[in-house]
Amino acid sequence: MFERLDALLAKSQGAKVFPGRQVAPEWIEDALRELGLPLPATYICWLQTYGNLLVGSSPVLTLCAPEHRDLADDDLIYYARLDAVDGVAPKGLIALHVPDTDEAFYFDTRTGLNEGEYSILRFDYNDVRLQRWQLHAFRGLLRVVP
């Protein structure tokens, strides 16, 4: 599924993958139980193949060991827990990439999976609005890494 990612990353000056940081299958199972929702097929494949991606200095959210999720600010479940408490993101959105204080990217779970994928929404903190991003799925995010 990600045979072209290596080629995309080789061309990119703003993205970096660190080898050997794949996510354990039991961490994925634990995350699925906690979320009560499926994760996109390409996201799960990315977790199992790479498990990490920095865009500039900001990570695409991954899954950490369950015992570290309360402290791991690069963990998808950590952000889901924060959003459940403080309500920054509307219900049904799961943070995917939070590059800075101006914007964040979310899986939109409100309409369910479409061909195994969720749409990605961009939240602009300056305008305080959500917009459907030009990418329809996680695999699209990986294609436009600068």
Side-chain angles (χ1 to χ4, degrees), residues 16-90:
K16 177 107 176 125
V17 169
F18 299 95
R21 296 191 182 174
Q22 299 88 342
V23 172
E26 56 271 14
W27 300 358
I28 296 170
E29 291 169 15
D30 185 77
L32 294 172
R33 273 191 302 277
E34 182 163 338
L35 290 172
L37 296 165
L39 288 169
T42 54
Y43 182 72
I44 290 174
C45 184
W46 169 77
L47 289 170
Q48 294 171 330
T49 306
Y50 300 100
N52 71 96
L53 174 65
L54 286 178
V55 178
S57 60
S58 302
V60 171
L61 299 179
T62 187
L63 293 175
C64 297
E67 63 270 17
H68 299 296
R69 287 197 173 132
D70 288 340
L71 303 171
D73 63 358
D74 62 344
D75 182 75
L76 184 113
I77 299 299
Y78 173 87
Y79 271 88
R81 289 174 181 170
L82 287 178
D83 283 337
V85 171
D86 68 21
V88 170

Side-chain angles (χ1 to χ4, degrees), residues 56-131:
S57 60
S58 302
V60 171
L61 299 179
T62 187
L63 293 175
C64 297
E67 63 270 17
H68 299 296
R69 287 197 173 132
D70 288 340
L71 303 171
D73 63 358
D74 62 344
D75 182 75
L76 184 113
I77 299 299
Y78 173 87
Y79 271 88
R81 289 174 181 170
L82 287 178
D83 283 337
V85 171
D86 68 21
V88 170
K91 190 171 176 74
L93 299 185
I94 300 172
L96 170 64
H97 181 52
V98 185
D100 54 40
T101 59
D102 294 339
E103 65 182 352
F105 298 88
Y106 292 88
F107 287 128
D108 184 1
T109 69
R110 298 174 296 184
T111 57
L113 292 170
N114 181 10
E115 296 181 18
E117 299 296 325
Y118 293 121
S119 295
I120 295 179
L121 297 180
R122 178 183 174 271
F123 185 75
D124 186 320
Y125 289 103
N126 294 323
D127 293 339
V128 192
R129 66 185 174 108
L130 281 167
Q131 51 190 220

